[in-house]
Amino acid sequence: MRSTSLRKGENQALLAAPVVLTVSVQGLTADVSALLLGADGKVRSDEDLVFYNHPSQDGVSMAGSAVTVDLVRVPADVDRVVVVVSADPLQPGAVFTRAPLLTITQSAASAMSFIAPDFTSGETVVVLAELYRRNKGWKIRAVGQGYASGLAGLATDYGVDVDPEPIPTPVSLPAQGHPNSSSAGSAVDLSKVERLAPALLPPARQAGNALVDRGISNRRAAVYLILDHDWHMEELYESFAVQAFAERVLALSANLDDDGTVPVVFSSGREPFLEEIRLDNYRGRIGQLHTQVDWGWGNVADAMRRAVGHYQESGAADPAFIVTQVGDEPWDKAEVRSLLQNTASLGVFWLFVGFGRGKLAFYKNLNASASATFSNVAFYDASKNPGSVPDERFYAGLIDAFALWLRR
């Protein structure tokens, strides 16, 4: 029977029957586990972690390196089942370099396989895939997200209390980026991230190093996030690209503002929708929020006004760093230009981050001419898939212009 190879972020429908997910790892000893999650992205109890010492729970079972999910038997209050592989903590210096192979099989259906891109940042645990409810059926999404916080950190992120893992022997990784980045460290205490969102520690540290390298590790800012909710962005929400982007912005915010919260404004055809993403609720948060927003032609100017209004009402003394994700040209260009000019004296810096499949010339050219007056504006092209951009390069694109603006 023909096999389908999944790409990272891709999803496929499943039959209403048991599905077997088999993991193959080369080069190190690893353990496979599964988590049953509710609609809030958390386990219902510690029993929802299925692993070698607790091999069965509510239709999810495991044997060796294979997880079987009987979709008909999974309770209605379980929204997702996440399949995870973790390096053996007793194996010194054990990290993933080559990605594991995941094979997905169901009777009377074509087999599927997934190999994530290889890992380079000392990842000790990898979320391989998630099975999730969609309408009245189930789908599977290839995730391939690595973390350096270990299974204990990941489980805590999902609401599971686990015993601490043995501390592994540190592994040396090749130095990357700026010459002083390996020794600089972040000037910010990231203990809140470690406690509430340990899976975000690696990107938070990378963001901190980027701030140190640019001489602004002691500066603070209120970070905002505006997300494009045009109809053409649907695939990027579905593939978790927007969720992953928001998580990286949240990790940066942890270095600039210690409240662990980023206000999020969704730009759609109607009144902008404002909510927040926090260290204690970020898992699947964008997916939960965006379903409350209609698709439409994004009203960027209204979303910008909403963010500025929130900032002014908050009474914050620190400047605002408003990260505005855009996927296409705005239809309200004159209004956008007017807002940029009018907020220059308010301590607001605008970073337009382009990713998606639309045209972005308007944003790219805001400061292209010699007569441009937008000193508080920059553009960063994060490519069609920002998740493929390494953390170091991603955070350089995010903060280079902001750092120059702060130091002026």
Side-chain angles (χ1 to χ4, degrees), residues 3-63:
S3 177
T4 301
S5 180
L6 299 178
R7 295 171 297 176
K8 184 173 180 177
E10 190 174 2
N11 57 73
Q12 291 284 337
L14 295 170
L15 301 177
V19 55
V20 180
L21 303 100
T22 305
V23 181
S24 176
V25 180
Q26 294 184 1
L28 79 164
T29 304
D31 298 316
V32 180
S33 55
L35 292 140
L36 288 72
L37 307 177
D40 61 352
K42 303 285 187 179
V43 296
R44 301 165 300 170
S45 72
D46 290 349
E47 297 299 303
D48 282 343
L49 173 61
V50 178
F51 65 118
Y52 53 85
N53 275 344
H54 178 58
S56 179
Q57 180 71 30
D58 287 342
V60 179
S61 60
M62 66 176 311

Side-chain angles (χ1 to χ4, degrees), residues 6-337:
L6 299 178
R7 295 171 297 176
K8 184 173 180 177
E10 190 174 2
N11 57 73
Q12 291 284 337
L14 295 170
L15 301 177
V19 55
V20 180
L21 303 100
T22 305
V23 181
S24 176
V25 180
Q26 294 184 1
L28 79 164
T29 304
D31 298 316
V32 180
S33 55
L35 292 140
L36 288 72
L37 307 177
D40 61 352
K42 303 285 187 179
V43 296
R44 301 165 300 170
S45 72
D46 290 349
E47 297 299 303
D48 282 343
L49 173 61
V50 178
F51 65 118
Y52 53 85
N53 275 344
H54 178 58
S56 179
Q57 180 71 30
D58 287 342
V60 179
S61 60
M62 66 176 311
S65 60
V67 176
T68 299
V69 182
D70 189 341
L71 300 176
V72 175
R73 291 183 52 215
V74 176
D77 59 348
V78 173
D79 186 67
R80 288 186 286 158
V81 177
V82 176
V83 177
V84 176
V85 59
S86 54
D88 183 353
L90 298 178
Q91 185 178 354
V95 297
F96 287 98
T97 52
R98 299 183 62 182
L101 167 65
L102 176 66
T103 304
I104 306 108
T105 56
Q106 278 190 301
S107 298
S110 298
M112 292 178 277
S113 63
F114 169 57
I115 302 179
D118 288 340
F119 300 105
T120 60
S121 300
E123 289 86 350
T124 58
V125 60
V126 177
V127 176
L128 287 175
E130 67 166 12
L131 288 72
Y132 62 100
R133 295 185 187 272
R134 177 51 53 95
N135 298 325
K136 295 183 179 180
W138 285 84
K139 300 182 79 171
I140 184 168
R141 178 181 288 116
V143 179
Q145 178 66 54
Y147 300 90
S149 54
L151 181 59
L154 186 69
T156 301
D157 224 23
Y158 284 120
V160 183
D161 291 325
V162 297
D163 294 329
E165 295 176 348
I167 300 175
T169 302
V171 59
S172 297
L173 294 173
Q176 297 180 349
H178 298 274
N180 64 341
S181 64
S182 60
S183 60
S186 172
V188 172
D189 181 6
L190 296 178
S191 59
K192 179 179 286 188
V193 180
E194 186 173 17
R195 185 177 73 256
L196 297 177
L200 291 184
L201 263 179
R205 286 170 177 155
Q206 282 277 18
N209 286 340
L211 295 171
V212 169
D213 288 348
R214 289 152 183 82
I216 59 169
S217 60
N218 63 335
R219 302 296 294 271
R220 299 294 170 257
V223 179
Y224 284 76
L225 179 60
I226 295 176
L227 294 174
D228 186 350
H229 206 258
D230 280 9
W231 62 269
H232 62 263
M233 290 290 300
E234 184 173 7
E235 180 184 346
L236 294 171
Y237 279 91
E238 180 75 12
S239 68
F240 269 162
V242 182
Q243 171 72 34
F245 175 73
E247 290 178 9
R248 293 169 106 177
V249 173
L250 180 62
L252 171 63
S253 172
N255 289 272
L256 291 169
D257 185 353
D258 66 359
D259 70 353
T261 300
V262 173
V264 180
V265 182
F266 290 87
S267 168
S268 67
R270 298 186 179 180
E271 182 178 350
F273 176 67
L274 187 147
E275 254 291 349
E276 61 186 29
I277 182 171
R278 306 190 307 267
L279 292 175
D280 63 355
N281 75 353
Y282 77 94
R283 282 286 182 190
R285 178 67 169 167
I286 299 302
Q288 296 164 8
L289 292 176
H290 97 87
T291 57
Q292 303 175 47
V293 186
D294 292 332
W295 297 107
W297 296 103
N299 192 333
V300 179
D302 274 359
M304 293 169 65
R305 272 190 287 268
R306 188 74 186 272
V308 172
H310 184 281
Y311 169 64
Q312 292 179 303
E313 291 167 8
S314 72
D318 297 318
F321 182 21
I322 305 182
V323 179
T324 306
Q325 179 266 316
V326 290
D328 205 349
E329 300 276 271
W331 57 265
D332 45 359
K333 295 178 182 178
E335 288 189 70
V336 171
R337 288 193 183 95

